Amino acid sequence: MRQIIIIGSGPAGYTAAIYAARANLQPLLIASSVEAGGELMNTTDVENFPGFPEGVQGPDLMTKMQEQAERFGTEVVYDDVSAVDLTGPIKTVTLGSGETHEALAVIVATGSAYRKLGLSDEERLSGHGVSWCATCDGFFFKGKTIAVVGGGDSAMEEATFLTRFASKVYVIHRKDTLRASKIMQERAFANDKIEFIWNSEVAGILGADAVEGVQLRDTVTGVESTLELGGLFVAIGNDPRTHLVHGQLDLTPDGTISVGGRSSKTSQAGVFAAGDVVDPTYRQAVTAAASGCVSALDAEHYLSTLPQDLLAKASETELASVTN
Ligand code: NDP
C-alpha cells in the first residue's frame, strides 16, 4: 500500500507529485499509456509558462516536470486506470494491465478534453492550422484570415483574442443566437475584425498539408459553400475527464469534480482533485500546476491525521518498492 497515488500526468499531476515526493510521501503517479503528459504534449511553443523567457516546447516542459518529480522519488507507471474504489480509508486503483494498487490518499488530476467536431480531417490537420487553443497558438496566425467554431463564451473569448493577430476572424455558429454571456457577445459584436456566419456548421476542412479553408453547410437550408481560411479554431467546449469517478465523487453542474472552496478536497475523505478536472474556467498550464500544488498540500495534511499503524503499513510497501 502507498501513502498516495496521483492519477494524471499533466501539469497538475506532476506538480502534485513534486510536492508529495519532496514531502517524502513517495507517490505513485499513473501517467496513462498513450496520453502521458496531457494536453501540452499536443502543443508546440508554450510562451506563457513563467520561467521560460524564450518559450518552451510543450513536450519538453512535461519531460522537465516529470524529471523533477522523479528526482525526489516519484514512481511513474505508464498505464491507464481502468477502475477506482475511493470509498473507505484504503483506496484501490486498478490499471489496464489488471494490476491493483492501494493508497491512503488519491489525487485525481485527469484533466479535460477539448470537444472535437468529429471530422476526419480535424486530426490530420491538427497542429497544421487546426487548433483548440487560441492562447497557445494564436500568435502563429499573424495577418491571416481564420475562423472560430462555436457560440459559447470560449468561442467569443477566442475570437476576440485572435483579432490581436489575425486580419479577420469569422465565427461559425450552428444557430442564429449565441450561448455566450451578453458581455462576451457584445465585445465580439463590437469588434470590426469579427464577422459571424450564422446557422452554419463545418462539414469538412480543406487543405493537403495545412488548412486552406472549410466546407460549410447551412443548418437551415442544407446548402453547402466554401470559405477560404488560413486557420480554424474549434471552441465548442471541454469535457472534464470524470468517467472514472462517476458515482463516487460529487460533481458540479459544469461536470467538474466538486471541491470545497479553494481547496482540492472532494466529497470523499482522502480523495483530492486538481487541474482541469476541477476547473471549468481558466484551464491554463500554470493554473493547473498551482492546483496540483494545493492538492499535494491538502493530501499531506490529511495523511498527517491518519492513525500511525495505517501510515506504517503504507511506508513498508514504499520501502519495498524502492529496494526492489
Ligand atoms: P459551451 O458549452 O458553453 O458552448 C459550446 C458552444 O459550442 C455552444 O455554442 C454550442 O452550440 C457549440 N457546439 C457544441 N458542440 C458543437 C458541435 N459539435 N459543432 C458545432 N458547435 C458545437 O462551452 P464553452 O467552452 O464556450 O464554455 C464552457 C464554460 O466555461 C461556460 O460556463 C462558460 O461560461 C465558461 N467560460 C467562461 C469564460 C469567461 O467568462 N471568460 C471564457 C470561456 C468559458 P449550441 O449553442 O448550439 O449548443
Side-chain angles (χ1 to χ4, degrees):
M1 183 169 61
R2 299 277 178 160
Q3 293 188 76
I4 186 160
I5 292 177
I6 297 161
I7 306 172
S9 55
Y14 277 130
T15 307
I18 292 164
Y19 275 77
R22 289 192 77 250
N24 212 18
L25 300 175
Q26 289 172 281
L28 177 68
L29 182 144
I30 317 294
S32 161
S33 56
V34 283
E35 291 183 337
E39 287 288 343
L40 281 183
M41 299 302 281
N42 305 321
T43 318
T44 50
D45 295 86
V46 178
E47 294 174 335
N48 52 11
F49 199 88
F52 296 92
E54 311 298 328
V56 58
Q57 295 292 301
D60 292 345
L61 179 60
M62 295 323 298
T63 304
K64 282 182 195 294
M65 286 193 195
Q66 179 177 347
E67 285 170 1
Q68 198 173 349
E70 287 177 328
R71 178 179 156 210
F72 299 109
T74 303
E75 189 184 336
V76 179
V77 170
Y78 296 95
D79 201 345
D80 298 307
V81 175
S82 59
V84 291
D85 184 350
L86 302 173
T87 53
I90 299 176
K91 327 287 180 194
T92 59
V93 175
T94 307
L95 305 186
S97 64
E99 233 174 72
T100 295
H101 294 272
E102 290 182 335
L104 297 173
V106 170
I107 293 176
V108 182
T110 43
S112 74
Y114 292 120
R115 258 178 230 148
K116 301 202 165 151
L117 293 166
L119 300 168
S120 57
D121 292 326
E122 197 174 358
E123 287 301 317
R124 184 175 64 80
L125 293 170
S126 159
H128 301 280
V130 177
S131 171
W132 285 263
C133 178
T135 335
C136 319
D137 299 330
F139 188 76
F140 305 111
F141 293 83
K142 265 190 175 162
K144 295 196 175 177
T145 296
I146 59 177
V148 175
V149 189
D153 279 337
S154 292
M156 295 312 107
E157 189 170 67
E158 304 246 311
T160 306
F161 177 77
L162 287 165
T163 58
R164 295 187 195 182
F165 312 102
S167 56
K168 182 166 186 78
V169 180
Y170 290 102
V171 174
I172 302 168
H173 184 39
R174 61 187 179 183
K175 291 187 184 145
D176 62 359
T177 51
L178 296 170
R179 179 190 289 260
S181 55
K182 197 128 184 75
I183 188 163
M184 305 282 272
Q185 295 193 22
E186 281 170 1
R187 201 170 294 158
F189 289 145
N191 193 314
D192 288 345
K193 282 189 177 178
I194 296 178
E195 184 177 330
F196 284 80
I197 302 179
W198 301 106
N199 293 324
S200 293
E201 60 189 7
V202 176
I205 307 171
L206 312 171
D209 304 315
V211 170
E212 289 169 12
V214 291
Q215 192 72 27
L216 292 177
R217 187 186 300 122
D218 189 301
T219 52
V220 179
T221 62
V223 171
E224 296 210 352
S225 59
T226 303
L227 178 69
E228 277 185 28
L229 293 174
L232 183 71
F233 284 79
V234 181
I236 59 173
N238 266 68
D239 294 313
R241 290 201 191 90
T242 54
H243 60 283
L244 280 174
V245 302
H246 277 177
Q248 299 193 51
L249 299 182
D250 289 351
L251 303 182
T252 67
D254 287 322
T256 54
I257 295 176
S258 175
V259 289
R262 295 184 64 213
S263 84
S264 64
K265 293 175 198 165
T266 68
S267 53
Q268 195 69 250
V271 182
F272 306 88
D276 282 7
V277 80
V278 299
D279 175 11
T281 312
Y282 302 107
R283 298 192 300 252
Q284 300 297 302
V286 70
T287 52
S291 158
C293 160
V294 167
S295 69
L297 296 177
D298 285 342
E300 192 186 339
H301 181 257
Y302 168 79
L303 288 166
S304 72
T305 66
L306 294 183
Q308 278 308 315
D309 57 326
L310 267 182
L311 291 168
K313 241 171 130 183
S315 300
E316 274 167 30
T317 323
E318 284 157 9
L319 204 58
S321 85
V322 172
T323 356
N324 285 337

